[in-house]
C-alpha cells in the first residue's frame, strides 16, 4: 500500500520536474543499468537451469552405475553410463557457450552444484572401470568441445580464437568437492557388493578410500570451508567400509558364503542405527 | 597419477590461492584505512562550521583519492587480471565505500549524480570488465545507495546549520534517484536489501521538507532557480 503511495508521489514529482532542465539524465542512465542487470540475471538463471539438469542427469548416472554390483554384464552398464555422461557433457558445453568471453568466476555459484555432481559421476565411472582416481586433467580434457567443423589443437586456456574450440575448466575446488561426494558412493557400493557376496571389492574399496582420506587429511583445513565439512562425512564413510572389511575378515572364514550376506546386512543395519543416534 | 600425487597437486594450488588472498587482504586493509580518512574529512560537512567551506573539504578529499588510486594500482598487481570475480569478495566492501565517497564528493561539488564513468575515472579503474580491474555495476549502485542515506543526514544537519534551501535540492535529487532505482529489477540480494532502505531516506527528507514548508522557511523559487 505504501508503495503505491510512493509511486503516486514520484509520478507527481516527475511531471513537476519535467519542466526543469534534464531530470531524465538520471532516468536514462538507470535504464541502461536496468538492461545490464537484466542481462546478467538472465544469464545467471539460464546457468542455474543448466546446472540443475546436469545434477539430475549425473545423479541418474550414479544410480545406474550402482547396478554394476548386481549385474553380470558390467561393460553394458558402463557403456550406458558413457552415453549418459556424453549427454551431460553436451549440457556443460552449453555452460561453456554461455560463459564465452565472460569471467568464469562471476557466475561460478550458478553452476558449481552441477559441476560437482558431474565430477562425482565421472570419477565413479572411472573408478569402476580402472580402479583408480580420475585426475583433474583427465576431467578437464573431456570438456573440450568442438563447435562447428574445424578441429583445432586443444588449448587449455579458455579464451580461444574463433568459434572452433570451447573448453570448460573444472576448478580444483569443485573437483575436490566432487571427489568428496564420490566417497559416499564408494561406501554404498562397498555395502552393496558385500550384499552380493563379492569378497574382493570391499577390500579394494577400503584401500582406495583410505588413500583418499589420507589425501584429504593432507589438505586439512587449508582448503575451503566446505572441504572440512565434507571431511567429517568422509570419516564416517571410511569407518563403515573399514567395519565391513573387518567383519568380512573375521566372519568370512567361519561362515559359508551363502550365509555371509545375511550376517552382513544385519551388521550394516546396526551401523546405520548407530549413526542415527549419534 | 596416484591419489597422493593428485592431492599434493591440489594442495599446491590451494596454498598458492591462499597466498594470493593474503596479499589482497593486506592491500585492502590499507585501502580501507584511506577510505576512513576521506570519510572523516567529508564528515565535517555535517557540522555547522563545515557548511562554509565545502569546496575546500572536497579538494582535500580529492587529494586523498590519489592515495586510493595508488592502492588500487597496487591491488591490480596482486592477482591475474582475468580472475577479478574469483577474489571479488575481498574488495567488494571497500570498493563500495570509495564509490560512495567519490559520489559524495561529486554531489557536494556539483549536486549531480556521479556517473559510473566518473567514479571509474576518480579511482583510475575501468568501466568494462574486458579492460581489466573494473567497477562492477552492483558495487556502483550500492555506493550510490550509501550516499543516499548520507544525504538524508545532510538534509537534517543543513537545517540545523540554518541552510534551508539545501534540503529541497536534496529532496529533488533523491527523488530522481529513487525513480531511477525503481526501474531496476533487483534480485533478492544484498543490493536489493540496501535499496529497501532507500525509502526511509526519501521519507526522512520529505519530512524535513514538510517541516520547512509549513513554517514558511522553504522558498520555492530558490530550489529551482539555484541550478
Amino acid at each position: 500500500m505504501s508503495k503505491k503511495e510512493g509511486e503516486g508521489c514520484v509520478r507527481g514529482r516527475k511531471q513537476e520536474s519535467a519542466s526543469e532542465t534534464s531530470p531524465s539524465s538520471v532516468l536514462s542512465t538507470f535504464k541502461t543499468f536496468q538492461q545490464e542487470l537484466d542481462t546478467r540475471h538472465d544469464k545467471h538463471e539460464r546457468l542455474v537451469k543448466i546446472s540443475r539438469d546436469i545434477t539430475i542427469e549425473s545423479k541418474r548416472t550414479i544410480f545406474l552405475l550402482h547396478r554394476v554390483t548386481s549385474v553380470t554384464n558390467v561393460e553394458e552398464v558402463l557403456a550406458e553410463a558413457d552415453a549418459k555422461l556424453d549427454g551431460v557433457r553436451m549440457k556443460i558445453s552449453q555452460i561453456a557457450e554461455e560463459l564465452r568471453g565472460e569471467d568464469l568466476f562471476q557466475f561460478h555459484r550458478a553452476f558449481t552444484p552441477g559441476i560437482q555432481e558431474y565430477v562425482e559421476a565421472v570419477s565413479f565411472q572411472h573408478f569402476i572401470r580402472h580402479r583408480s582416481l580420475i585426475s583433474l586433467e583427465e576431467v578437464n580434457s573431456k570438456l573440450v568441445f568442438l563447435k562447428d567443423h574445424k578441429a583445432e589443437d586443444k588449448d587449455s586456456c579458455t579464451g580461444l580464437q574463433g568459434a572452433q574450440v570451447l573448453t570448460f575448466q573444472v576448478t580444483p575446488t569443485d573437483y575436490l568437492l566432487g571427489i568428496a561426494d564420490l566417497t559416499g558412493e564408494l561406501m554404498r557400493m562397498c555395502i552393496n557388493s558385500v550384499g552380493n557376496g563379492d569378497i574382493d571389492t570391499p577390500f579394494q574399496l577400503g584401500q582406495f578410500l583410505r588413500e583418499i582420506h589420507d589425501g584429504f587429511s593432507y589438505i586439512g583445513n587449508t582448503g575451503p570451508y566446505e572441504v572440512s565439512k565434507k571431511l567429517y562425512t568422509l570419516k564416517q564413510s571410511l569407518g563403515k567400509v573399514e567395519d565391513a572389511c573387518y567383519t568380512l575378515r573375521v566372519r568370512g572364514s567361519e561362515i559359508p558364503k551363502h550365509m555371509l550376506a545375511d550376517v552382513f546386512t544385519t551388521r550394516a543395519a546396526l551401523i546405520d542405527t548407530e549413526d542415527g543416534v549419534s | 597419477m596416484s591419489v597422493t600425487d593428485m592431492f599434493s597437486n591440489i594442495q599446491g594450488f590451494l596454498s598458492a590461492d591462499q597466498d594470493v588472498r593474503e596479499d589482497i587482504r593486506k592491500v585492502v586493509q590499507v585501502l580501507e584505512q584511506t577510505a576512513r580518512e576521506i570519510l572523516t574529512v567529508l564528515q565535517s560537512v555535517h557540522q555547522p562550521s563545515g557548511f562554509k567551506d565545502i569546496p575546500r573539504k572536497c579538494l582535500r578529499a580529492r587529494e586523498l583519492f590519489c592515495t586510493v588510486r595508488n592502492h588500487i594500482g597496487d591491488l591490480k598487481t596482486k592477482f591475474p587480471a582475468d580472475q577479478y570475480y574469483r577474489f571479488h569478495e575481498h574488495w567488494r566492501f571497500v570498493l563500495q565505500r570509495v564509490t560512495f565517497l567519490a559520489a559524495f564528493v561529486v554531489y557536494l561539488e556539483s549536486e549531480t549524480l556521479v556517473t559510473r564513468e566518473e567514479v571509474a575515472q576518480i579511482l583510475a579503474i575501468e568501466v568494462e570488465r574486458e579492460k581489466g580491474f573494473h567497477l562492477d555495476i552492483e558495487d556502483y549502485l550500492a555506493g550510490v545507495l550509501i550516499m543516499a542515506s548520507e544525504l538524508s543526514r545532510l538534509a537534517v544537519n543543513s537545517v540545523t546549520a540554518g541552510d534551508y534551501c539545501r534540503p529541497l535540492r536534496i529532496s529533488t535529487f533523491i527523488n530522481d534517484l529513487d525513480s531511477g532505482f525503481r526501474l531496476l529489477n533487483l534480485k533478492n540480494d544484498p543490493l536489493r536489501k540496501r535499496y529497501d532502505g532507500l525509502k526511509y531516506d526519501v521519507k526522512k527528507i520529505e519530512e524535513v521538507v514538510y517541516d520547512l514548508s509549513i513554517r514558511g522557511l522553504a522558498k520555492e523559487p530558490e530550489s529551482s532557480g539555484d541550478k
Side-chain angles (χ1 to χ4, degrees):
Chain A
M1 188 206 112
S2 61
K3 200 166 188 174
K4 248 180 207 160
E5 264 176 28
E7 252 167 27
C9 256
V10 167
R11 210 161 290 143
R13 210 161 284 109
K14 233 189 269 174
Q15 278 165 1
E16 177 192 302
S17 55
S19 56
E20 257 182 54
T21 44
S22 59
S24 56
S25 71
V26 171
L27 285 183
S28 63
T29 13
F30 272 82
K31 277 249 164 63
T32 59
F33 293 158
Q34 178 195 46
Q35 268 173 9
E36 192 174 340
L37 281 175
D38 283 352
T39 15
R40 181 184 286 191
H41 291 161
D42 287 350
K43 183 167 280 231
H44 192 269
E45 287 308 313
R46 283 199 299 277
L47 284 169
V48 168
K49 191 172 173 298
I50 301 173
S51 163
R52 290 240 170 87
D53 291 345
I54 292 175
T55 311
I56 293 167
E57 207 45 35
S58 302
K59 277 217 160 76
R60 284 187 188 145
T61 313
I62 291 167
F63 275 116
L64 172 74
L65 285 168
H66 271 301
R67 275 175 34 209
V68 292
T69 45
S70 55
V71 153
T72 41
N73 197 348
V74 177
E75 268 314 312
E76 207 171 276
V77 174
L78 285 177
E80 201 182 331
D82 256 335
K84 270 183 185 292
L85 285 175
D86 277 337
V88 176
R89 277 191 279 271
M90 281 309 295
K91 295 243 159 59
I92 296 180
S93 84
Q94 287 173 21
I95 292 190
E97 186 77 42
E98 289 280 356
L99 290 178
R100 187 206 296 273
E102 296 279 353
D103 190 332
L104 182 126
F105 290 95
Q106 187 174 4
F107 299 100
H108 189 233
R109 255 193 312 179
F111 57 82
T112 33
I115 295 302
Q116 284 175 30
E117 207 66 35
Y118 168 73
V119 170
E120 183 179 346
V122 92
S123 59
F124 191 34
Q125 195 215 24
H126 184 93
F127 176 79
I128 292 171
R129 193 169 269 164
H130 305 285
R131 302 280 145 169
S132 66
L133 182 66
I134 194 167
S135 71
L136 178 57
E137 286 74 24
E138 281 173 276
V139 176
N140 277 334
S141 70
K142 282 186 186 164
L143 297 177
V144 178
F145 309 103
L146 299 178
K147 285 280 153 183
D148 298 332
H149 29 84
K150 258 199 171 174
E152 210 150 312
D153 282 342
K154 66 170 184 190
D155 207 322
S156 53
C157 69
T158 22
L160 281 161
Q161 75 279 38
Q164 287 88 10
V165 184
L166 264 181
T167 58
F168 182 84
Q169 297 278 299
V170 174
T171 65
T173 314
D174 282 345
Y175 170 77
L176 205 58
L177 294 172
I179 296 299
D181 291 336
L182 167 72
T183 56
E185 299 308 325
L186 293 178
M187 182 270 291
R188 278 178 61 195
M189 186 183 170
C190 169
I191 307 293
N192 281 340
S193 57
V194 180
N196 290 309
D198 185 347
I199 308 295
D200 300 327
T201 314
F203 291 103
Q204 283 173 8
L205 281 166
Q207 184 56 37
F208 186 62
L209 271 182
R210 253 193 296 277
E211 280 177 43
I212 292 186
H213 176 260
D214 294 349
F216 270 99
S217 338
Y218 177 60
I219 285 175
N221 52 9
T222 55
Y225 166 69
E226 299 101 305
V227 172
S228 28
K229 240 179 19 184
K230 298 220 166 165
L231 189 58
Y232 176 72
T233 332
L234 172 55
K235 279 201 174 109
Q236 281 186 325
S237 299
L238 182 65
K240 282 182 196 171
V241 172
E242 280 176 342
D243 275 353
C245 291
Y246 168 83
T247 318
L248 276 180
R249 190 64 82 209
V250 174
R251 301 283 188 88
S253 49
E254 307 166 354
I255 297 178
K257 256 194 183 148
H258 67 275
M259 304 262 295
L260 205 59
D262 272 356
V263 170
F264 201 81
T265 38
T266 49
R267 166 105 194 151
L270 195 75
I271 294 170
D272 277 345
T273 47
E274 270 172 8
D275 262 8
V277 172
S278 64
Chain B
M1 191 187 272
S2 79
V3 177
T4 329
D5 287 344
M6 196 59 228
F7 275 99
S8 68
N9 267 359
I10 290 186
Q11 156 68 23
F13 164 84
L14 287 173
S15 60
D17 187 75
Q18 274 196 331
D19 291 346
V20 173
R21 282 172 201 277
E22 202 48 54
D23 282 350
I24 292 175
R25 256 193 289 268
K26 273 183 206 144
V27 184
V28 166
Q29 236 162 33
V30 195
L31 197 54
E32 276 171 349
Q33 178 58 39
T34 319
R36 276 195 295 270
E37 278 170 36
I38 300 179
L39 185 63
T40 321
V41 170
L42 293 178
Q43 282 292 308
S44 56
V45 299
H46 290 293
Q47 274 147 24
S49 57
F51 275 97
K52 288 173 197 109
D53 47 45
I54 285 176
R56 203 179 57 80
K57 291 190 178 13
C58 290
L59 230 56
R60 173 86 189 104
R62 289 249 181 202
E63 276 166 33
L64 283 167
F65 269 112
C66 285
T67 334
V68 170
R69 277 194 284 276
N70 288 338
H71 292 325
I72 291 182
D74 202 16
L75 180 61
K76 284 180 203 167
T77 62
K78 299 296 179 202
F79 66 97
D82 57 343
Q83 300 189 355
Y84 181 91
Y85 283 100
R86 182 152 157 216
F87 307 107
H88 189 191
E89 288 305 315
H90 291 292
W91 56 75
R92 194 164 205 168
F93 177 75
V94 72
L95 203 56
Q96 289 174 4
R97 288 309 279 184
V98 291
T99 304
F100 147 60
L101 293 168
F104 197 35
V105 169
V106 169
Y107 179 80
L108 290 173
E109 285 169 352
S110 62
E111 309 216 336
T112 53
L113 176 64
V114 71
T115 61
R116 204 167 149 204
E117 288 74 18
E118 274 176 281
V119 181
Q121 206 189 344
I122 292 172
L123 304 178
I125 57 180
E126 301 293 337
V127 176
E128 273 145 55
R129 189 184 68 79
E130 285 79 11
K131 290 186 185 146
F133 197 95
H134 65 286
L135 179 63
D136 188 88
I137 180 168
E138 292 184 26
D139 293 341
Y140 164 75
L141 291 173
V144 170
L145 285 172
I146 303 177
M147 180 184 63
S149 51
E150 193 65 23
L151 286 182
S152 76
R153 235 189 102 201
L154 187 66
V156 173
N157 289 328
S158 57
V159 172
T160 319
D163 184 351
Y164 298 141
C165 306
R166 189 177 285 275
L168 299 181
R169 296 200 303 271
I170 291 179
S171 170
T172 338
F173 179 75
I174 292 278
N175 276 312
D176 259 5
L177 208 59
D178 188 45
S179 37
F181 270 98
R182 267 170 213 278
L183 288 178
L184 305 180
N185 306 310
L186 296 174
K187 281 210 298 185
N188 208 359
D189 59 2
L191 184 60
R192 161 77 184 279
K193 222 177 246 171
R194 193 161 260 155
Y195 162 68
D196 288 342
L198 181 62
K199 59 175 178 275
Y200 299 110
D201 300 327
V202 172
K203 182 165 174 267
K204 182 109 181 235
I205 296 171
E206 276 173 357
E207 276 168 7
V208 173
V209 171
Y210 169 77
D211 281 340
L212 291 176
S213 26
I214 56 163
R215 288 171 180 79
L217 292 169
K219 286 159 221 125
E220 278 304 330
E222 244 174 301
S223 67
S224 55
D226 222 30
K227 286 204 172 175

